[in-house]
Amino acid sequence: QVQLVESGGGLVQAGGSLRLSCAASGSTSSINAMNWYRQAPGKQRELVAGISNGGSTTYADSVKGRFTISRDNDKNIVYLQMNSLKPEDTAVYYCNVILRWIPRLSAWGQGTQVTVSS
């Protein structure tokens, strides 16, 4: 079992920056990848960025060049540096870890609100 605690959300003006953090605890040796998702009201939850244990990253097209995902493997923390924020980035951001791929098993944080004003 893995527990995730997120921090760093808040209110920021368009063009500003925020850094989200997610600390994992529990059975952290089972973690295969760490991800950030987001969900805006009335929309599906979408993958924003992901990073594997080996450091490979993936990003949604809408955030490429603006967001950077990174992790501290020793401390089991994943970060999301968000620059040049836009109002459409407003959403609840969720930390996610992949524990097993087939059948898929994952854990989720409770989310942190990011609001970007124009």
Side-chain angles (χ1 to χ4, degrees), residues 14-78:
S17 299
L18 286 173
R19 191 191 195 198
L20 305 183
S21 300
C22 173
S25 62
S27 301
T28 57
S29 62
S30 298
I31 296 175
N32 285 276
M34 304 185 77
N35 308 298
W36 286 98
Y37 285 75
R38 68 185 181 188
Q39 187 169 29
K43 293 187 176 181
Q44 295 280 339
R45 187 171 298 187
E46 64 175 348
L47 177 67
V48 177
I51 186 166
S52 70
N53 287 359
S56 298
T57 59
T58 186
Y59 296 93
D61 288 342
S62 60
V63 307
K64 287 180 179 177
R66 300 189 298 120
F67 291 10
T68 303
I69 189 170
S70 61
R71 64 186 293 177
D72 184 329
N73 290 329
D74 293 335
K75 296 182 178 180
N76 295 303
I77 300 174
V78 62

Side-chain angles (χ1 to χ4, degrees), residues 26 39 83 97:
Q39 187 169 29
N83 299 326
V97 298

Side-chain angles (χ1 to χ4, degrees), residues 15 33 42 44 56 66 74 82 85 91 94 98-99 104 114 116 118:
Q44 295 280 339
S56 298
R66 300 189 298 120
D74 293 335
M82 304 185 295
L85 283 162
Y94 296 90
I98 303 298
L99 304 174
R104 189 161 183 167
V114 171
V116 184
S118 59

